[in-house]
Amino acid sequence: MKITAAQALVRCLELEKVDIVFGYPGGAMLPVYDALYHSSIKHVLVRHEQGAVHAADGYARATGKVGVCMATSGPGATNLVTGIANAYMDSVPLVVFTGQVPTSQVGTDAFQEVDITGITIPITKHNYLVKDPAALPQIIKNAFHIASTGRPGPVLIDLPKDVAGEMIDFYYPETVRLRGYKPTYRGHHNKIIEAAELINRSQRPVIYAGGGIINSGASEELLELAELISAPVTNTFMGLSSFPGDHPLFLGMLGLHGTRYANLAVTECDLLIALGARFDDRVTGKLAKFAPHAAVIHVDIDPAEIGKNVPVHVPIVGDVKLVLRALLPLLKKTDRSPWLDRIRELRELFPLRYNREDGLKPQYIIEELYRHTGGLATIATDVGQHQMWVAQYYRFKRPRGLISSGGLGTMGFGLPAAVGAQLGLPGQQVILVTGDGSFQMTMQELATVREQDLPIKIFMLNNQSLGMVRQLQEYYCEGRYMAVDFKFHPDFITLARAYDIKGYTIQTEEEARQVIPEVLTEPGPVLVNCLVSPQEKVLPMVPSGCGIDETFES
Amino acid sequence: MRHTLAVLVENNPGVLARVAGLFSRRGYNIDSLAVGRTDNPAISRMTIVVEGDDRVLEQVTKQLHKLIDVIKISDITADEYVDRELVLIKVNAEPEKRGEIMQIADIFRARIVDLGRRTMILECTGNEGKIKAFEESLKPYGIKELVRTGKIAMLRGSRYTNINSNGSKEDD
Ligand SMILES: Cc1ncc(C[n+]2csc(CCOP(=O)(O)OP(=O)(O)O)c2C)c(N)n1
Ligand SMILES: [Mg+2]
């Protein structure tokens, strides 16, 4: 059967069981959009290409499936760049299509030409410029495979307009052809035995679990491990929601804004079991002071992460779920009550807390959201203080419950990501916790929310400022607040109304208690403008350049 | 310490940009990089000389492995191997100096590949040390231009680095 390469593209997506793509059309994408016209695949028209890629990202994080987005050549493609980098940093599987000028014009600075494969080399797992239309199905097959296996990540396919229009004999290959790509899934047996011996001998183990647990679907194994060996669990930001937030063994997040007891437990432990985490600088603080008494077991699917930042005693390259399954039978149930007593003591000495006096506190709003959703909602966030308060105060009880930009810290991620998440999880509670700064970076997607009729509940913690940067200026610039306080805000309620979205403003605990449960049961989208103090700080905090044992609280 | 890596890559457009970009982006120092296709036209081989301690080398290797187009990497530094570079040097060669220069060429088993009115081009192959010594010997005459290929290397004996061999340790 002869069809155009663009039609083949759409057929491939259908065969990959893609049911939704996020995108924005343009001249170079005419053939592809024309092919989509005849397809059952749902196309979600965003209002800016950044929205398309973040939405695909949010969809992928919420569902575990590959997110797909597309944009036209030139500015369409460059508008995707932030979102691609964002997905790359957080290991999110995406397949991104861009239109390209016709092959004969490539390299001539043609209208809306940009070398998007060149631009995205450092921020994609792999990318392709399609020159031979007949190669497109194999490329798409490879792209989905690369994006979703091993350490997931975005793959970009750049399709020149003329190539898209050429006729090919369509057939979708069943296998990938990639001799340079063979992720290791099963951990090395001897290393697993070594790890088991270390664990069985350890008196003060801590499990440090990252986003790899979520990507490999290893939450059950993690819980089993923790309970079997009586080890407390701390999550990285990306790992949040992989372990029940209300479990007695849960220490919360560690690192820069981690709980003090998590950071101290890591400092005191004799064995650190790192699972799908990468010893990021926000986690470790000063490296020399990170887990100074501990032997380190590091399980990761990406060999390049092992030994990158800290020396490792037992390296295990593999899928964390498979590794844990192999490891669990080798472990002895051990009584570690002295260690657990010590953990309890740390927890009592240094609880996570905030001052509830004077006014509505952002932390309180998060606690209320937790209370009313039982930790089961999907929470998308933006970037800033509000994001850290979600990490600290929302006790996630369901894997993939947190949709947030960790590695890149992209303001503006939240709203479009919530759009993607809600489309991936119809009928489920999706809440966006955003900041007044971040929200204004991509708030045009309110139109998408309305158009798609998505019941997203938006809580904007409005502190009239770029709170996180303000906090840094307070600590590191002696309170010289430069370019962080907003002197003008739109009337957000009127703005919401302009998009036919309901709006509320709250500024007392009383109002929060009343409005939050009401909003959560509304059938449609709602924006809640939560007026909170710009003075509030994210605490505890590890000062820059210090060890994580040097956390301060006020 | 300097390491010599033999890297087999897919002969795709852009593969050089991927590899070179990776080195600059992650702050690794390339001493030399030579690339050309192998007996299999779909596969190219790069010989990369990189400076760094064991930790850096481990990261370089692992990061290279993450590139989908990289098929195989062998660090042959510690093995027995033959390495060669080729250099072309255009040197001032007034008629009265030509005899001397030809003697030098003889010593280094270099060849004269072009003779101009006042210049000569000499071609020399050898390992780095030899090339350096050759260059030094010609300096007094005035080097007008110099171009070198970068090092290529191959394991000695019956061992080999190709996609079927296992860590370049096969057959021995
Ligand atoms: C795109 C982008 N620009 C700048 C920053 C730097 N930055 C980090 S947090 C922050 C403030 C965010 O303000 P807001 O969204 O209001 O959140 P708040 O901290 O006030 O809760 C800024 C400017 C960033 N992370 N992303
Ligand atoms: Mg703010």
Side-chain angles (χ1 to χ4, degrees), chain A residues 56-78:
Chain A
D57 180 323
Y59 173 89
R61 290 187 208 230
T63 62
K65 296 194 255 180
V66 176
V68 180
C69 65
M70 46 184 63
T72 193
S73 67
T78 51

Side-chain angles (χ1 to χ4, degrees), chain A residues 50 82 382-389 408-412 434-441 460-470 472 483-484 486 489 538:
Chain A
Q50 184 184 358
T82 300
D382 261 299
V383 171
Q385 292 182 311
H386 62 277
Q387 176 189 38
M388 290 300 116
W389 286 317
L408 197 64
T410 311
M411 289 172 67
T434 182
D436 47 327
S438 299
F439 183 64
Q440 292 185 76
M441 284 207 173
M460 183 174 70
L461 305 192
N462 182 353
N463 52 11
Q464 312 264 341
S465 74
L466 302 172
M468 188 57 105
V469 181
R470 193 175 201 281
L472 294 175
V484 290
F486 290 114
H489 264 332
V538 181

Side-chain angles (χ1 to χ4, degrees), chain A residues 88 117 121-122 124-128 131 146 151 178-182 302-311, chain B residues 10-14 17-18 21 25-26 40 42-43 55 58-59 62-63 65-72 163:
Chain A
Y88 184 71
T117 46
I121 285 177
T124 50
K125 194 167 166 187
H126 195 50
N127 64 24
Y128 294 94
K131 291 187 172 152
I146 293 169
R151 179 176 183 174
L178 293 163
R179 54 189 152 189
Y181 179 70
K182 289 179 207 75
D302 181 356
E305 290 302 345
I306 295 180
K308 186 175 82 175
N309 294 341
V310 301
Chain B
E10 297 287 349
N11 188 13
N12 288 341
R18 289 180 204 280
R25 177 162 84 241
R26 294 200 177 259
N40 177 344
I43 296 176
R55 262 192 71 162
E58 188 184 325
Q59 265 298 304
K62 286 171 163 180
Q63 294 295 345
H65 259 302
K66 285 175 72 166
L67 299 179
I68 309 288
D69 280 342
V70 169
I71 303 166
K72 181 169 176 173
I163 48 172

Side-chain angles (χ1 to χ4, degrees), chain B residues 7-172:
Chain B
V7 184
L8 294 172
V9 300
E10 297 287 349
N11 188 13
N12 288 341
V15 63
L16 185 59
R18 289 180 204 280
V19 171
L22 183 129
F23 277 81
S24 66
R25 177 162 84 241
R26 294 200 177 259
Y28 309 138
N29 295 317
I30 302 188
D31 272 13
S32 97
L33 189 159
V35 56
R37 63 169 190 75
T38 62
D39 52 324
N40 177 344
I43 296 176
S44 291
R45 175 158 164 165
M46 296 183 175
T47 306
I48 303 175
V49 182
V50 53
E51 177 77 44
D53 59 21
D54 287 352
R55 262 192 71 162
V56 170
L57 250 290
E58 188 184 325
Q59 265 298 304
V60 168
T61 312
K62 286 171 163 180
Q63 294 295 345
L64 276 174
H65 259 302
K66 285 175 72 166
L67 299 179
I68 309 288
D69 280 342
V70 169
I71 303 166
K72 181 169 176 173
I73 303 161
S74 317
D75 185 347
I76 62 172
T77 316
D79 294 312
E80 288 280 311
Y81 64 88
V82 183
D83 64 310
R84 289 291 179 271
E85 261 191 84
L86 184 147
V87 66
L88 293 176
I89 299 180
K90 183 178 288 177
V91 65
N92 281 333
E94 297 294 339
E96 66 275 15
K97 296 282 184 194
R98 283 186 191 166
E100 282 174 39
I101 293 174
M102 280 157 80
Q103 268 183 359
I104 292 172
D106 239 21
I107 293 166
F108 285 94
R109 270 179 266 152
R111 299 199 306 144
I112 292 154
V113 291
D114 179 69
L115 193 57
R117 275 202 296 143
R118 293 211 178 78
T119 59
M120 279 169 143
I121 300 179
L122 294 111
E123 168 202 311
C124 182
T125 61
N127 63 19
E128 201 186 334
K130 177 179 165 189
I131 301 283
K132 203 165 161 209
F134 182 56
E135 183 188 335
E136 286 302 318
S137 318
L138 291 177
K139 259 194 187 152
Y141 302 93
I143 293 174
K144 308 290 282 181
E145 198 177 343
L146 181 152
V147 54
R148 56 205 287 179
T149 55
K151 170 161 132 178
I152 59 171
M154 189 178 273
L155 289 171
R156 286 184 186 275
S158 49
R159 300 192 299 167
Y160 51 86
T161 299
N162 73 18
I163 48 172
N164 301 317
S165 73
N166 173 19
S168 80
K169 303 282 188 212
E170 206 153 272
D171 277 0
D172 235 29

Side-chain angles (χ1 to χ4, degrees), chain A residues 1 10 30 69 71 88 120 149 153 158 172 185 188 202 209-210 224 272 296 304 315 384 418 455 465 493 501 531:
Chain A
M1 180 188 44
V10 173
L30 277 182
C69 65
Y88 184 71
T120 57
T149 57
D158 196 26
Y172 197 51
Y185 292 103
H188 194 287
S202 150
E224 200 180 326
L272 189 69
V296 176
S465 74
I493 302 305
I501 289 172
L531 299 179

Side-chain angles (χ1 to χ4, degrees), chain A residues 182-438:
Chain A
K182 289 179 207 75
T184 305
Y185 292 103
R186 295 198 179 275
H188 194 287
H189 186 60
N190 292 345
K191 293 288 169 203
I192 292 176
I193 292 175
E194 268 180 58
E197 282 166 1
L198 264 186
I199 293 172
N200 287 335
R201 257 187 285 134
S202 150
Q203 300 188 328
R204 300 186 308 279
V206 166
I207 299 170
Y208 150 52
I213 301 286
I214 291 172
N215 281 337
S216 85
S219 290
E220 275 174 38
E221 287 77 5
L222 173 62
L223 182 61
E224 200 180 326
L225 172 72
E227 290 181 344
L228 179 67
I229 66 170
S230 302
V233 176
T234 180
N235 269 150
T236 66
F237 180 71
M238 291 305 297
L240 287 171
S241 83
S242 69
F243 194 79
D246 59 346
H247 195 284
L249 286 170
F250 190 53
L251 297 171
M253 184 171 73
L254 81 166
L256 179 64
H257 290 301
T259 63
R260 215 162 155 191
Y261 43 91
N263 286 341
L264 291 173
V266 168
T267 305
E268 292 180 17
C269 74
D270 67 353
L271 175 65
L272 189 69
I273 308 169
L275 305 174
R278 62 186 178 96
F279 296 85
D280 175 73
D281 53 85
R282 296 286 133 138
V283 161
T284 61
K286 187 175 176 180
L287 277 169
K289 298 190 80 182
F290 184 71
H293 313 295
V296 176
I297 297 169
H298 190 181
V299 183
D300 204 286
I301 192 126
D302 181 356
E305 290 302 345
I306 295 180
K308 186 175 82 175
N309 294 341
V310 301
V312 170
H313 302 82
V314 183
I316 304 178
V317 177
D319 178 78
V320 62
K321 183 184 183 100
L322 297 180
V323 171
L324 287 183
R325 283 216 181 136
L327 177 67
L328 282 165
L330 308 177
L331 299 175
K332 293 200 298 261
K333 188 155 182 73
T334 316
D335 172 47
R336 293 193 167 90
S337 29
W339 177 227
L340 294 185
D341 288 345
R342 173 65 181 152
I343 297 286
R344 201 165 304 122
E345 185 182 16
L346 289 173
R347 205 191 282 277
E348 277 159 19
L349 280 171
F350 309 111
L352 196 58
R353 61 174 169 214
Y354 64 95
N355 186 348
R356 263 176 74 181
E357 281 152 36
D358 47 75
L360 177 60
K361 290 300 171 82
Q363 299 92 329
Y364 181 78
I365 297 169
I366 310 300
E367 287 195 308
E368 281 294 288
L369 287 174
Y370 168 70
R371 207 162 63 77
H372 288 290
T373 56
L376 295 170
T378 297
I379 311 277
T381 83
D382 261 299
V383 171
Q385 292 182 311
H386 62 277
Q387 176 189 38
M388 290 300 116
W389 286 317
V390 168
Q392 293 176 332
Y393 289 94
Y394 194 87
R395 284 178 268 163
F396 293 92
K397 292 208 205 140
R398 197 174 47 76
R400 301 191 175 279
L402 174 64
I403 312 274
S404 189
S405 167
L408 197 64
T410 311
M411 289 172 67
F413 172 76
L415 181 60
V419 165
Q422 184 74 78
L423 282 160
L425 305 171
Q428 294 190 40
Q429 180 90 263
V430 174
I431 296 171
L432 168 65
V433 177
T434 182
D436 47 327
S438 299

